[in-house]
Amino acid sequence: MESIWSKNTHLPERPALSGHLSVRAAVIGGGMAGILTAYLLKEKGVDAVVLEAQRIGSGQTRNTTAKITSQHGLIYDRLLLEFGDLAEQYATLNQKAIAEYRRIVNQLNIDCSLEEVPAYLYSVADAEPLRREAETASRLGIPASFVTETELPFPIKGAVRFDGQAQFDPLKFLKAVSERLTIYENTVVREVKDHRIQTDNGTVDAEQIVFATHYPFLNIPGYYFLRMHQERSYVLSLQNAMKLNGMYLGVDPDYSFSLRSAGEYLLLGGGGHRTGENRAGGKYEKLRKKAAELWPDSVEVAHWSAQDCIPLDGVPYIGRYAASTPYWYVATGFRKWGMTSSMAAAMLLSDAMTGIDNPNAEIFSPDRFTPSASAKNFFKDSGHAVKGLSRQIFAPSRGAVADMPEGHGGIVEVDGEKMGVYKDEDGKLFAVSARCPHLGCQLEWNPDEKSWECPCHGSRFDYRGELICGPAQNGLEHE
């Protein structure tokens, strides 16, 4: 399950950190947000080091559909209602982020298939929300219009078109930008205290520290685990499908397919769900069924999935990590728009860290509190956390090991203790703790990915119990 970006681009290895460094700035996380932040800091005269737990771009960056757009779902009508005039900051910064990608690509002459294309939100059921969204986005300065016809191979009720958006190959871009940076790979950060970063094989003292780890792994301060949940979504890469001249996303709950072309391929995405809520599986099969219906001669050449942090009010947290640590910064909660939000975060953080007042920073501040926007989702997310914790204590196991089919996993009871067990196609058993090491929620099996997922905060582990992604910092106990 490797994305087309990973198949086509080799990123040279960087050394692991060893010993001690003293630097002005350190960026924890070598995805698009971390690399861009370090790059823009370098342009402003600050040489930052990047610390990456695995390889750069190995997290969500390599699994994105790589749309660079300010069109982030049906968001602007809601932002204007809940944030008032601050909604314009969101629109303005994301539009500037698109332009900043173009600037860097031109400056470094990067061959990353950057194309200017329109972005569409479409509905097969109801045009009115799209009409309102187009009007609001246009009022906020975005080149938006409402249309009733597209190139899609199925009828729609209406669509919002954003002109001047873009798409690209993220790893080719990342490779070029990262060449000029000091990066340490396979360097797992275990602890951050004041200005000291502790890794397995060395330490870094930094005047300023950026947490660009997708989901912050420190619970306190900041309490980001109370402010976000994570969702997964799935993608097929198809050959012999069709060439699209725009990027598309459906807004209907039962027809929310994402589409874009990438050279000779068509990317078809969808099947989103909260982590830990895919016990039945079948997400890839749903996409394959739709592909066969729309393009009977298409051939699947790759499939993969991605994970997104969803903030309470729908706006990323970009700025100071917490009031008690004014020299720490954070970039998280990008929803499903990691490429544009990564550039937006790099622009805001590099300005803040060099004393530049960015006029679009306020709406993204992690210190914000918007009761009308956050309360409903706060109680919903809290309910999921309570449910996940109570499963570990009260919920019965879901069967016996002997009854589990080959190629499946689930929560079973072994010697009076609940365990997560996967039985491979040869009948070999892999037993792990069913308890997430982050905050103790009971894990759930995702059959589409053959992985264990935390329904509370989104940590993931492979069937052997090895950590895939956080906020957990350690793998599962296993037998």
Side-chain angles (χ1 to χ4, degrees), residues 34-192:
I35 294 298
L36 283 174
T37 299
Y39 181 82
L40 294 188
L41 281 172
K42 188 176 183 68
E43 285 195 327
K44 294 178 170 70
V46 177
D47 283 324
V49 299
V50 178
L51 307 175
E52 166 55 41
Q54 299 177 27
R55 302 289 310 283
I56 64 168
S58 62
Q60 305 316 308
T61 298
R62 67 176 176 178
N63 293 326
T64 176
T65 53
K67 299 175 180 178
I68 307 172
T69 175
S70 58
Q71 189 186 77
H72 297 170
L74 290 172
I75 189 172
Y76 290 105
D77 197 49
R78 180 182 64 80
L79 285 180
L80 189 61
L81 178 66
E82 295 174 350
F83 288 89
D85 293 341
L86 293 183
E88 188 173 353
Q89 295 182 6
Y90 188 101
T92 299
L93 185 66
N94 279 285
Q95 282 291 109
K96 287 185 175 182
I98 300 169
E100 188 72 348
Y101 270 110
R102 294 193 187 101
R103 180 188 72 83
I104 294 174
V105 167
N106 291 332
Q107 178 187 62
L108 301 181
N109 194 27
I110 303 173
D111 180 12
C112 60
S113 304
L114 182 71
E115 300 177 82
E116 182 173 309
V117 293
Y120 295 83
L121 292 176
Y122 68 88
S123 173
V124 300
D126 186 4
E128 190 54 34
L130 296 167
R131 196 185 304 274
R132 291 197 305 269
E133 184 73 6
E135 292 173 355
T136 302
S138 184
R139 285 174 54 193
L140 296 174
I142 293 173
S145 58
F146 176 77
V147 299
T148 56
E149 294 184 2
T150 67
E151 60 190 320
L152 292 171
F154 47 81
I156 63 167
K157 293 292 185 180
V160 181
R161 172 176 170 142
F162 280 21
D163 286 310
Q165 312 298 290
Q167 59 188 25
F168 73 149
D169 182 319
L171 292 191
K172 287 183 178 178
F173 175 86
L174 193 78
K175 180 179 181 180
V177 172
S178 63
E179 287 176 354
R180 294 154 176 78
L181 304 177
T182 301
I183 300 169
Y184 295 96
E185 294 183 324
N186 298 309
T187 299
V188 179
V189 174
R190 296 297 181 184
E191 183 181 23
V192 184

Side-chain angles (χ1 to χ4, degrees), residues 318-451:
I318 304 170
R320 293 192 186 274
Y321 197 97
S324 61
T325 52
Y327 39 85
W328 289 4
Y329 297 84
V330 68
T332 189
F334 294 169
R335 296 171 67 231
K336 300 181 184 299
W337 310 103
M339 295 299 96
T340 326
S341 296
S342 288
M343 184 65 82
M347 296 165 73
L348 289 178
L349 296 184
S350 62
D351 279 353
M353 295 168 71
T354 54
I356 299 171
D357 183 19
N358 191 303
N360 301 306
E362 185 177 354
I363 192 172
F364 297 95
S365 171
D367 294 332
R368 68 181 184 270
F369 178 65
T370 52
S372 62
S374 304
K376 180 180 178 181
N377 287 330
F378 175 77
F379 287 113
K380 182 179 179 181
D381 282 1
S382 297
H384 276 280
V386 171
K387 183 179 178 181
L389 288 166
S390 63
R391 281 175 184 159
Q392 181 67 25
I393 302 171
F394 301 112
S397 60
R398 301 195 180 103
V401 174
D403 298 330
M404 185 176 294
E406 292 177 353
H408 289 263
I411 304 298
V412 301
E413 190 168 302
V414 178
D415 297 329
E417 180 182 356
K418 279 196 290 186
M419 301 286 290
V421 173
Y422 169 66
K423 183 185 289 187
D424 71 13
E425 286 75 4
D426 297 322
K428 184 178 180 181
L429 296 176
F430 297 85
V432 300
S433 169
R435 188 173 184 269
C436 180
H438 176 230
L439 288 176
C441 291
Q442 179 172 298
L443 301 171
E444 295 290 353
W445 179 251
N446 183 338
D448 287 314
E449 298 295 298
K450 292 190 176 180
S451 63

Side-chain angles (χ1 to χ4, degrees), residues 11-23:
L11 296 169
E13 279 195 62
R14 302 298 187 96
L17 175 69
S18 179
H20 176 75
L21 292 176
S22 291
V23 297

Side-chain angles (χ1 to χ4, degrees), residues 97-342:
I98 300 169
E100 188 72 348
Y101 270 110
R102 294 193 187 101
R103 180 188 72 83
I104 294 174
V105 167
N106 291 332
Q107 178 187 62
L108 301 181
N109 194 27
I110 303 173
D111 180 12
C112 60
S113 304
L114 182 71
E115 300 177 82
E116 182 173 309
V117 293
Y120 295 83
L121 292 176
Y122 68 88
S123 173
V124 300
D126 186 4
E128 190 54 34
L130 296 167
R131 196 185 304 274
R132 291 197 305 269
E133 184 73 6
E135 292 173 355
T136 302
S138 184
R139 285 174 54 193
L140 296 174
I142 293 173
S145 58
F146 176 77
V147 299
T148 56
E149 294 184 2
T150 67
E151 60 190 320
L152 292 171
F154 47 81
I156 63 167
K157 293 292 185 180
V160 181
R161 172 176 170 142
F162 280 21
D163 286 310
Q165 312 298 290
Q167 59 188 25
F168 73 149
D169 182 319
L171 292 191
K172 287 183 178 178
F173 175 86
L174 193 78
K175 180 179 181 180
V177 172
S178 63
E179 287 176 354
R180 294 154 176 78
L181 304 177
T182 301
I183 300 169
Y184 295 96
E185 294 183 324
N186 298 309
T187 299
V188 179
V189 174
R190 296 297 181 184
E191 183 181 23
V192 184
K193 188 173 182 180
D194 296 327
H195 295 277
R196 169 71 53 100
I197 300 170
Q198 182 68 54
T199 77
D200 288 337
N201 297 305
T203 57
V204 177
D205 285 341
E207 295 177 26
Q208 298 170 305
I209 299 171
V210 176
F211 292 79
T213 56
H214 184 65
Y215 196 117
F217 60 89
L218 293 183
N219 294 326
I220 301 172
Y223 298 93
Y224 291 96
F225 71 97
L226 293 175
R227 304 203 239 173
M228 295 189 298
H229 70 271
Q230 296 202 63
E231 296 181 1
R232 292 200 71 71
S233 56
Y234 302 80
V235 185
L236 302 183
S237 177
L238 304 170
Q239 213 166 23
N240 301 329
M242 69 179 295
K243 170 68 176 177
L244 290 173
N245 297 307
M247 306 176 292
Y248 293 84
L249 178 66
V251 300
D252 307 312
D254 297 327
Y255 215 92
S256 56
F257 295 106
S258 167
L259 304 97
R260 66 152 286 194
S261 287
E264 63 181 304
Y265 305 117
L266 177 72
L267 306 188
L268 175 66
H273 64 86
R274 186 178 176 125
T275 52
E277 295 187 354
N278 187 38
R279 294 212 311 262
K283 301 300 184 181
Y284 288 119
E285 289 308 312
K286 179 181 178 181
L287 293 175
R288 288 168 182 142
K289 182 178 179 180
K290 179 56 62 175
E293 173 191 321
L294 296 175
W295 309 285
D297 296 327
S298 64
V299 178
E300 179 184 327
V301 296
H303 65 274
W304 67 93
S305 64
Q307 191 149 304
D308 302 291
C309 294
I310 312 298
L312 289 174
D313 58 9
V315 178
Y317 301 115
I318 304 170
R320 293 192 186 274
Y321 197 97
S324 61
T325 52
Y327 39 85
W328 289 4
Y329 297 84
V330 68
T332 189
F334 294 169
R335 296 171 67 231
K336 300 181 184 299
W337 310 103
M339 295 299 96
T340 326
S341 296
S342 288

